[in-house]
Amino acid sequence: MRITGYTFPEEEGAVQEKLLIVDDEKGVTDMLKSYFEMRFFQVYTAYGGEEALKQAAHNPDLVLLDINMPDMDGLKVCEKIREHISCPILFLTARVETSDKIRGFQAGADDYIVKPFDMEELEARVAAHLRRENRKRERSVFRFFSDMTIDYSKREVTVKGRKIPLSKKEFAIVELLSANPGQIFDRERIYEIVWGIDGDGSSDTVMEHVRKIRAKLSAETTHSYIETVWGCGYRWNG
């Protein structure tokens, strides 16, 4: 099947599109994953809301999202994803009441597909949304960490929805550590990366900036995101 006006990923010169499929029914998720992978999409899957938020850090081009999930329903997942990215979100659900559809659209959904659905119709809708999105897409690069969200494109850190006022250098330290979770950076290395080898300060500057970052974060969360590894340096504790 080919949708007029849309270049499928396997065609010459096409960029592989990324789909995130979220449904707690494993059979449905696996079926959709297989179907779209055969059409050369890059597919990420999740079987619950919390897992979906982690997978959303892959910056999908489109999300297929079930509403009824045990840990976090699709409406909440949609709202949280929508705060940071503008990719199309299509609800997959057995709900048919008008009020439910309205709630879905208010949460930020772009389309509403009722189960059971025809696979070719679903593919056509996916293609239509991607075609529109390709005309206006503005990507954000972001990650979720517990109660924190980092938007690397906007250079913003939010905790529980509240923006943390970080300076340029403070954000650069957070960016370096959070983009390399588990990796230990000593103060000299952080200074070299953030300030440059020609910086006119010292590695003690890093310690002071980390102290300020921790103070700002502690006002909003009890989680310690920057961990001190004694005698070695700092690492991200997401």
Side-chain angles (χ1 to χ4, degrees):
M1 181 181 180
R2 285 293 178 268
I3 310 301
T4 303
Y6 178 73
T7 301
F8 277 73
E10 79 273 21
E11 296 177 9
E12 185 177 357
V15 176
Q16 191 176 34
E17 303 279 9
K18 294 184 289 186
L19 301 183
L20 171 57
I21 300 171
V22 186
D23 197 310
D24 64 336
E25 294 185 52
K26 191 174 187 299
V28 173
T29 303
D30 293 348
M31 176 189 68
L32 291 173
K33 182 177 188 293
S34 176
Y35 184 88
F36 283 103
E37 283 184 338
M38 288 178 63
R39 282 143 183 82
F40 296 90
F41 285 85
Q42 184 174 355
V43 180
Y44 300 95
T45 60
Y47 304 108
E50 295 291 348
E51 186 182 2
L53 295 179
K54 294 178 181 178
Q55 293 285 44
H58 290 289
N59 289 302
D61 297 292
L62 185 141
V63 179
L64 298 176
L65 177 61
D66 183 36
I67 286 184
N68 294 317
M69 293 184 291
D71 60 340
M72 179 187 299
D73 68 34
L75 295 172
K76 292 186 181 297
V77 174
C78 181
E79 289 173 349
K80 194 163 183 63
I81 291 177
R82 184 57 78 222
E83 291 175 1
H84 302 283
I85 61 176
S86 60
C87 78
I89 300 175
L90 283 62
F91 273 131
L92 304 175
T93 180
R95 293 182 180 178
V96 295
E97 290 83 0
T98 299
S99 60
D100 289 321
K101 291 184 179 181
I102 292 173
R103 288 179 64 205
F105 289 128
Q106 289 176 337
D110 296 279
D111 206 347
Y112 205 101
I113 300 171
V114 178
K115 298 176 182 178
F117 46 80
D118 180 84
M119 291 298 292
E120 290 193 348
E121 179 185 354
L122 174 61
E123 182 180 349
R125 292 202 192 189
V126 167
H129 283 284
L130 288 173
R131 184 168 57 243
R132 285 194 292 268
E133 188 68 8
N134 285 336
R135 300 191 193 110
K136 64 181 180 63
R137 179 181 293 132
E138 178 179 335
R139 289 185 178 272
S140 290
V141 180
F142 70 96
R143 288 187 180 182
F144 292 106
F145 297 100
S146 186
D147 54 8
M148 175 190 289
T149 302
I150 303 177
D151 188 323
Y152 297 98
S153 299
K154 294 181 180 179
R155 301 184 67 79
E156 290 182 356
V157 174
T158 57
V159 175
K160 301 176 183 177
R162 295 177 62 86
K163 184 177 177 181
I164 307 300
L166 299 179
S167 69
K168 183 177 180 180
K169 297 299 186 185
E170 288 168 356
F171 181 85
I173 293 173
V174 170
E175 180 180 28
L176 172 64
L177 297 177
S178 64
N180 300 277
Q183 183 174 343
I184 301 172
F185 291 86
D186 61 37
R187 286 186 292 168
E188 289 74 17
R189 182 58 177 156
I190 295 174
Y191 186 83
E192 180 181 325
I193 294 172
V194 174
W195 277 265
I197 58 176
D198 296 325
D200 56 4
S202 70
S203 61
D204 290 341
T205 304
V206 173
M207 185 167 58
E208 178 61 17
H209 276 69
V210 168
R211 184 191 65 78
K212 291 180 179 178
I213 294 168
R214 285 171 167 165
K216 292 177 180 180
L217 294 179
S218 66
E220 303 294 341
T221 180
T222 58
H223 186 87
S224 179
Y225 283 98
I226 300 180
E227 179 182 3
T228 298
V229 182
W230 297 108
C232 298
Y234 301 104
R235 68 181 169 196
W236 188 254
N237 176 30

